[in-house]
Amino acid sequence: MTTRRFSRARLPIAALAVALLASGCSLLGGEDGTDGAQQGPGGVEKAKIKVGVLPVVDVAPFYRAIEQGYFKEQGLEVEPQVMASGPASINGVINGDVDIAFASYPAPLLAQSKKIAEFKIVADALSAKPGHLVVVTLKDSTFKKPSDAPGKRIAITGRNSFTDLAPMSVLKNQGVDYNQVKWVEMPLPEMMGALQKGDVDAAVMVEPWVTNAMKKIGAIPVFDGASGPTAEIPMSGYVAIGGQGKFATTSPNTIAAFQRALAKAHAEATDRSKMEPMFVKYAKIDQATAQLVTISTYSTSLEANRIQRVANLMEEFGVIKGHLDVKTMIPNGSAGK
């Protein structure tokens, strides 16, 4: 597997919207998402489900839930589908290729705001701790503190993603003119090289790239992107499609079973000895790096008010027009689980 596969692969949100809108209404029809499984009292409507995931640290507990049989305990047979990118994962769930898709929150929130599909958030994944989303530079850089940002070239994965929205929020909070920053879009695997060649002055990285850059090129943090107004911000979750005849509507017991199994694995995520093997096996991080990677918060509940922070951030910077109420994206009966 190449290093590109375990980047977060965030496409610029505007481009994602175009891609999703182009696929449009023809993707919203289809079967009702059931496979004929007999539903008993409290039984699941669909025993075999496909889940689109990316090879990133966010999904480490998901794989532990598979390996430890937590999904099977809930009557589910879960087949992971490793997707090429975040947009591919989102398109996969719209198409019906997967029942549930892992996603960085800006993509489904924007798609929901544009009414591309009726997205439902079935489980929260990861919220950033200090050290997970960081603006880094080289030791000899003149970029020493947030107030030095105007005029600097900063690498990001794409506009209107967490890699620019979160730093902009921090800069705005500190009275720094983020409009004077020159944001340079590139894949995460190219950022270390761009720093070394002097093509950019800094880069916004997420784990495990933060740790990799510190180990391999001696990168140092300028400021944490998940601090101040963005501290502990929810980064990612698992989504499904709702509406008439759609999985999130027809399979509430299946979703509840998925939530219980995933929450059991998330509750174990504070134990590094249980997460590091998942990082190595599924995110393809070497053992030495896995031991250093910041382990962020894996949520054991689904709370709309927390995820609302992401929608509000997107509204603040004009990515979402108007107001998006995240409560409408939580399946009935799922809040607080």
Side-chain angles (χ1 to χ4, degrees):
M1 180 179 294
T2 65
T3 53
R4 288 180 183 273
R5 288 195 62 193
F6 65 93
S7 74
R8 203 168 293 270
R10 295 188 181 94
L11 194 71
I13 294 297
L16 172 61
V18 171
L20 292 178
L21 285 167
S23 60
C25 297
S26 64
L27 300 180
L28 304 184
E31 300 299 321
D32 65 3
T34 64
D35 64 355
Q38 184 67 35
Q39 180 186 347
V44 298
E45 299 86 359
K46 188 172 186 180
K48 296 180 180 180
I49 63 172
K50 293 182 179 180
V51 180
V53 294
L54 300 175
V56 294
V57 297
D58 308 47
V59 299
F62 166 80
Y63 279 110
R64 179 167 174 81
I66 291 176
E67 289 198 353
Q68 297 299 310
Y70 298 158
F71 290 119
K72 287 185 178 179
E73 291 173 358
Q74 298 297 330
L76 293 179
E77 182 179 331
V78 174
E79 180 183 348
Q81 300 282 307
V82 179
M83 311 301 278
S85 66
S89 186
I90 292 294
N91 273 321
V93 77
I94 293 176
N95 286 334
D97 297 332
V98 295
D99 302 293
I100 296 172
F102 166 83
S104 178
Y105 278 128
L109 294 185
L110 179 65
Q112 176 79 1
S113 74
K114 292 180 174 293
K115 302 186 187 322
I116 292 171
E118 186 177 331
F119 282 86
K120 297 295 181 181
I121 303 169
V122 301
D124 200 7
L126 179 146
S127 296
K129 278 188 176 180
H132 179 78
L133 173 65
V134 184
V135 180
V136 303
T137 189
L138 299 181
K139 290 181 180 179
D140 59 356
S141 173
T142 60
F143 192 2
K144 304 292 186 184
K145 55 189 182 300
S147 59
D148 296 330
K152 294 295 189 294
R153 299 159 302 166
I154 303 179
I156 57 173
T157 58
R159 292 310 308 265
N160 303 326
S161 70
F162 272 124
T163 57
D164 70 335
L165 290 173
M168 286 195 302
S169 182
V170 174
L171 292 173
K172 180 181 177 181
N173 188 57
Q174 297 191 21
V176 179
D177 187 359
Y178 58 86
N179 289 309
Q180 298 302 311
V181 172
K182 299 174 183 177
W183 305 104
V184 182
E185 299 178 37
M186 67 180 65
L188 277 163
E190 296 179 8
M191 290 184 183
M192 282 192 284
L195 277 170
Q196 289 179 302
K197 289 185 291 185
D199 293 339
V200 294
D201 301 298
V204 186
M205 296 184 178
V206 295
E207 285 287 39
W209 295 102
V210 177
T211 298
N212 269 331
M214 290 178 176
K215 281 183 56 184
K216 294 180 179 179
I217 64 172
I220 59 172
V222 181
F223 65 93
D224 201 297
S227 61
T230 52
E232 292 284 338
I233 194 162
M235 298 282 293
S236 55
Y238 296 84
V239 300
I241 301 298
Q244 186 175 5
K246 299 301 180 182
F247 176 77
T249 301
T250 62
S251 305
N253 293 344
T254 303
I255 287 174
F258 179 86
Q259 291 169 332
R260 289 191 296 269
L262 188 64
K264 185 174 181 178
H266 277 194
E268 299 175 336
T270 54
D271 185 342
R272 291 197 71 99
S273 69
K274 295 177 179 177
M275 290 298 102
E276 288 175 12
M278 302 299 103
F279 294 163
V280 173
K281 188 172 181 180
Y282 297 106
K284 305 303 180 184
I285 304 170
D286 64 84
Q287 183 62 50
T289 303
Q291 293 174 352
L292 299 173
V293 165
T294 297
I295 296 182
S296 288
T297 302
Y298 293 97
S299 180
T300 57
S301 62
L302 183 56
E303 301 172 22
N305 62 336
R306 294 182 63 256
I307 304 168
Q308 185 67 48
R309 294 178 60 201
V310 184
N312 293 347
L313 178 68
M314 296 172 72
E315 291 168 16
E316 178 183 357
F317 291 99
V319 181
I320 289 177
K321 308 300 181 184
H323 179 68
L324 174 63
D325 185 357
V326 172
K327 288 196 298 291
T328 64
M329 299 178 67
I330 306 298
N332 292 336
S334 291
K337 287 187 178 179

